[in-house]
Amino acid sequence: MKFSTATLLLAYASTTNAHGTITQPKVPKITTDLGGWRYMWFNQGSQIGCPVATGQNCGNGSPNGGNTPCCEEQFEPTLKDVEQLTYMSDKWWSAVQTADNSSTQSMLRGAAKVSPKDFASVTNTPLKRNPWLAPGHAPVVNSCGILGGWQYNSAQDYIAGPGDGYENLMNGTGGAVNSYMPPANLTIPAGTHGDVVLLEEINHRMQEAQGEQYTTNDNPRWKAGSVQNVSYSLSANHGGGFQWRVCPIEFLLNDTLDEGCFTALDFVGDESWFVYKNDNDNETQIIPFTPVRVSDANTNGVLPKGSTWTQIGLPACGDFATPDSNCDGPMFENEISKAGFWGGPEINSNSSTSPALFDIMEPLSARTDVHYTPFEIVDTIQVPKGMEGDYVLSWRWDSEQSPQVWTQCTIVTIEA
Ligand SMILES: *[C@@H]1O[C@H](CO)[C@@H](O)[C@H](O)[C@H]1NC(C)=O
Ligand SMILES: *[C@@H]1O[C@H](CO)[C@@H](O)[C@H](O)[C@H]1NC(C)=O
Ligand SMILES: *[C@@H]1O[C@H](CO)[C@@H](O)[C@H](O)[C@H]1NC(C)=O
Ligand SMILES: *[C@@H]1O[C@H](CO)[C@@H](O)[C@H](O)[C@H]1NC(C)=O
Ligand SMILES: *[C@@H]1O[C@H](CO)[C@@H](O)[C@H](O)[C@H]1NC(C)=O
Ligand SMILES: *[C@@H]1O[C@H](CO)[C@@H](O)[C@H](O)[C@H]1NC(C)=O
Ligand SMILES: *[C@@H]1O[C@H](CO)[C@@H](O)[C@H](O)[C@H]1NC(C)=O
């Protein structure tokens, strides 16, 4: 696939192309052979107030095949403070002001930096309805994600959605879903639901045990009432925030696992960690940072009621999507940006001094100007008292820049 520079930039600008994965605890063994596609568990075409996700390349601001909201029934954001947003640099917004208003600006206006004060009154702009704007409210098809975001009928649809999606992307008027087709030889085919993968993992274990007792997973056992570290990584950073939650495995086994069976886990303390490996010696480096929490207390409501969400702490490129973007500054400042890290899918161009990106895959990995630094973001969660047994652990990431909810699951055992 050959992109012109303009097309590529617009593809990013009108992006529906984000990626993330659980890194700790382990995900099912059978998903680790997916290469870059291990980052691809999500629900495409989901915005706040919509009754269902649509799988369409909707709501991304592109004039064709994407400028329409994902549904008619959308509602106002419940976030109240511009500090709760992750796409908010002045550079990004001033560039947007002079960009082609028919596409880029219309997409971005709604993300609220027009003026923080005007946040609540900005209307009819697709980005403003993306999942993070009302955490937990956007619908999902599968609480463990769908490989590639949806079950499409053609591999080409995974690039930019069904219908005219591919043509629109190619002529610079549409956004991407995954930017490229699933490789023909993926070990788990695109379109597979994440809960099915957990069941297959359990079945494999049963079969391998040859009549002996087996455990459902190889993750460490968690004591009820203990605190534990969990982590995720991103290969493309579209901001927003996330939550960790658990559902008793019985719901997986009887095929009724959905958003309703999950209990959100509380975050513990006021510190998270950006963890990466030094290029030179592979030494693990840890940058502690202060996470931004979002809950009923500082918004007009999150779901589940009474739960807490945490913003993605790694700032995206501050000039992301601008024609001359070289990622020379972050969307916002925090301890991570001050240590020289921001970006995704573009990079902090000062890579010799400030390694800024990630374990990312084709086609971006073909870029020689991109510096990749694998990383993970670690948070401490509280394992509730009184739980016992096997649970589905799910990471739910509500994207700010794309109409997508990223969900991925693994299994943990909780001991009394
Ligand atoms: C886009 O809109 C902004 C604000 O309304 C305006 O200042 C700018 O001139 C417009 N740019 C173009 C290229 O039309
Ligand atoms: C891009 O392709 C779509 C789908 O074929 C078409 O409807 C649209 O007019 C094209 N736009 C441009 C600017 O060529
Ligand atoms: C899958 O196909 C790609 C290209 O077609 C090839 O590079 C890769 O090695 C294959 N992977 C496996 C596991 O066969
Ligand atoms: C979580 O990880 C951080 C950073 O490595 C570490 O300081 C902290 O002690 C860990 N907490 C737990 C509960 O493992
Ligand atoms: C599935 O299992 C859950 C948990 O045990 C139970 O509450 C629910 O009633 C079951 N649903 C069906 C349809 O069996
Ligand atoms: C760091 O680890 C990677 C992956 O194991 C290896 O390819 C690389 O050579 C290592 N670099 C150094 C400097 O040890
Ligand atoms: C990146 O490099 C340029 C040119 O050397 C410099 O002006 C700029 O301050 C650097 N930015 C950061 C964040 O280090």
Side-chain angles (χ1 to χ4, degrees):
M1 177 191 319
K2 196 163 165 46
F3 290 97
S4 72
T5 304
T7 306
L8 192 58
L9 283 168
L10 189 63
Y12 292 168
S14 47
T15 185
T16 39
N17 176 15
H19 317 83
T21 188
I22 295 176
T23 50
Q24 187 189 336
K26 282 183 197 164
V27 291
K29 200 164 54 182
I30 52 177
T31 67
T32 54
D33 292 335
L34 289 170
W37 276 66
R38 72 190 183 282
Y39 287 91
M40 292 293 201
W41 299 97
F42 65 107
N43 299 264
Q44 174 67 25
S46 179
Q47 291 189 306
I48 60 177
C50 292
V52 293
T54 64
Q56 299 292 311
N57 193 3
C58 49
N60 64 22
S62 315
N64 294 323
N67 204 19
T68 49
C70 295
C71 67
E72 295 302 321
E73 303 85 343
Q74 300 182 313
F75 58 58
E76 288 295 308
T78 62
L79 295 190
K80 288 203 291 205
D81 184 349
V82 74
E83 300 300 319
Q84 294 166 342
L85 299 171
T86 50
Y87 268 71
M88 55 197 223
S89 80
D90 289 339
K91 191 159 186 181
W92 154 258
W93 285 97
S94 61
V96 162
Q97 287 296 313
T98 57
D100 170 12
N101 285 352
S102 67
S103 56
T104 321
Q105 187 178 344
S106 65
M107 158 184 137
L108 298 171
R109 203 183 285 127
K113 186 68 185 204
V114 173
S115 158
K117 286 194 251 16
D118 294 341
F119 179 36
S121 63
V122 175
T123 54
N124 195 28
T125 48
L127 267 199
K128 192 182 172 186
R129 317 299 168 164
N130 281 341
W132 178 241
L133 280 294
H137 285 84
V140 304
V141 171
N142 197 281
S143 299
C144 299
I146 306 170
L147 189 59
W150 198 256
Q151 187 168 6
Y152 297 118
N153 292 328
S154 160
Q156 185 172 286
D157 293 346
Y158 284 84
I159 299 172
D164 289 343
Y166 180 75
E167 286 74 21
N168 290 329
L169 178 67
M170 287 297 124
N171 72 17
T173 58
V177 172
N178 290 298
S179 295
Y180 51 99
M181 282 192 276
N185 59 6
L186 278 185
T187 51
I188 299 169
T192 300
H193 285 200
D195 57 353
V196 171
V197 171
L198 288 187
L199 282 171
E200 290 198 359
E201 169 82 359
I202 294 169
N203 290 345
H204 272 292
R205 288 169 173 276
M206 171 277 299
Q207 177 177 286
E208 282 163 18
Q210 292 291 296
E212 300 294 318
Q213 244 198 331
Y214 63 96
T215 57
T216 56
N217 70 90
D218 57 0
N219 279 320
R221 302 168 87 82
W222 289 354
K223 277 261 180 242
S226 68
V227 299
Q228 299 291 338
N229 277 351
V230 289
S231 63
Y232 62 91
S233 188
L234 311 175
S235 67
N237 184 358
H238 298 291
F242 64 93
Q243 194 171 64
W244 293 86
R245 63 266 176 82
V246 290
C247 165
I249 202 167
E250 288 73 23
F251 289 87
L252 173 72
L253 299 177
N254 73 9
D255 200 24
T256 59
L257 181 131
D258 62 19
E259 292 297 279
C261 74
F262 282 96
T263 301
L265 300 177
D266 287 333
F267 293 98
V268 177
D270 204 15
E271 199 166 45
S272 300
W273 300 272
F274 179 82
V275 178
Y276 69 101
K277 282 198 173 162
N278 234 354
D279 273 0
N280 303 332
D281 52 12
N282 282 340
E283 284 285 314
T284 297
Q285 307 291 319
I286 300 176
I287 302 171
F289 70 97
T290 310
V292 173
R293 308 283 192 214
V294 169
S295 67
D296 290 338
N298 58 5
T299 68
N300 289 327
V302 302
L303 287 178
K305 281 193 201 322
S307 70
T308 300
W309 290 73
T310 293
Q311 208 180 63
I312 298 284
L314 177 69
C317 297
D319 57 356
F320 180 82
T322 65
D324 61 347
S325 170
N326 58 4
C327 198
D328 59 5
M331 278 287 180
F332 57 91
E333 289 284 2
N334 66 4
E335 295 94 328
I336 303 177
S337 66
K338 285 178 185 147
F341 293 88
W342 58 84
E346 295 188 54
I347 50 152
N348 170 2
S349 58
N350 294 359
S351 57
S352 58
T353 53
S354 318
L357 202 81
F358 321 156
D359 181 10
I360 205 168
M361 57 285 195
E362 295 287 345
L364 291 176
S365 57
R367 283 176 55 175
T368 52
D369 57 330
V370 175
H371 186 84
Y372 304 101
T373 300
F375 73 93
E376 59 182 347
I377 295 179
V378 180
D379 288 274
T380 309
I381 50 87
Q382 176 73 53
V383 182
K385 291 200 176 93
M387 282 190 174
E388 186 177 0
D390 286 347
Y391 285 79
V392 174
L393 173 73
S394 168
W395 175 65
R396 173 172 167 151
W397 168 24
D398 280 16
S399 173
E400 180 173 327
Q401 206 204 9
S402 58
Q404 298 169 334
V405 176
W406 291 71
T407 46
Q408 193 183 15
C409 296
T410 188
I411 296 172
V412 294
T413 303
I414 301 179
E415 295 177 328

